[in-house]
Amino acid sequence: MSEAKFTWQGGAISQQMRLALGQANRANAGRLAEYAAEQAPVETGDLRGSLNPGAPDGRWREEADGLNMTVGSNLPYAAVQHEDLSLNHNGPEVPGGKAKYLEDPLNAHKQEFLQALADAARGVCKR
């Protein structure tokens, strides 16, 4: 009778998966912040600057080793600029700013973000 021995690596694989997905999600959040900054309204540039990863006045937080990421701004007017569709968002200096500057890029690039997570998971499974 033949014998086969298997060693369970579930804990190590789970840890590798968490690390890979956290790194991919951090990268996704960085790209979202860049896309959002391109679409955010501009008067002084503070709002666009506050969306950059790691900006001291921005709302950039991670939890659970990067699996939960928050991208946004803590500027007092950021939410109003995002939500109020009646505001004139095109500044004289930099045209093209708009409402929904976070929501629209998230929706537009959803497949890109999901693909990055899938690729990260696939990379762990191929090891």
Side-chain angles (χ1 to χ4, degrees), residues 15-46:
Q15 185 177 6
Q16 291 171 10
M17 186 68 74
R18 184 177 185 90
L19 177 65
L21 291 174
Q23 289 172 342
N25 207 36
R26 273 188 210 93
N28 282 344
R31 283 192 303 279
L32 175 58
E34 291 171 10
Y35 296 144
E38 292 171 1
Q39 295 187 21
V42 176
E43 185 170 324
T44 64
D46 290 345

Side-chain angles (χ1 to χ4, degrees), residues 7 9 11 30 38 41 44 49 59 61 72-73 91-93 96 99 104 106 120:
T7 303
Q9 299 291 326
E38 292 171 1
T44 64
R59 187 168 162 220
R61 185 176 72 242
S73 173
E93 303 284 325
D104 288 349
L106 177 64

Side-chain angles (χ1 to χ4, degrees), residues 73-80:
S73 173
N74 66 355
L75 295 176
Y77 55 85
V80 172

Side-chain angles (χ1 to χ4, degrees), residues 46-60 72 74:
D46 290 345
L47 180 55
R48 286 186 176 193
S50 74
L51 294 167
N52 290 329
D57 58 348
R59 187 168 162 220
W60 181 263
N74 66 355

Side-chain angles (χ1 to χ4, degrees), residues 57-85:
D57 58 348
R59 187 168 162 220
W60 181 263
R61 185 176 72 242
E62 84 170 57
E63 299 169 354
D65 300 324
L67 295 177
N68 297 330
M69 299 296 299
T70 300
V71 178
S73 173
N74 66 355
L75 295 176
Y77 55 85
V80 172
Q81 290 290 325
H82 186 270
E83 296 299 325
D84 192 342
L85 300 175

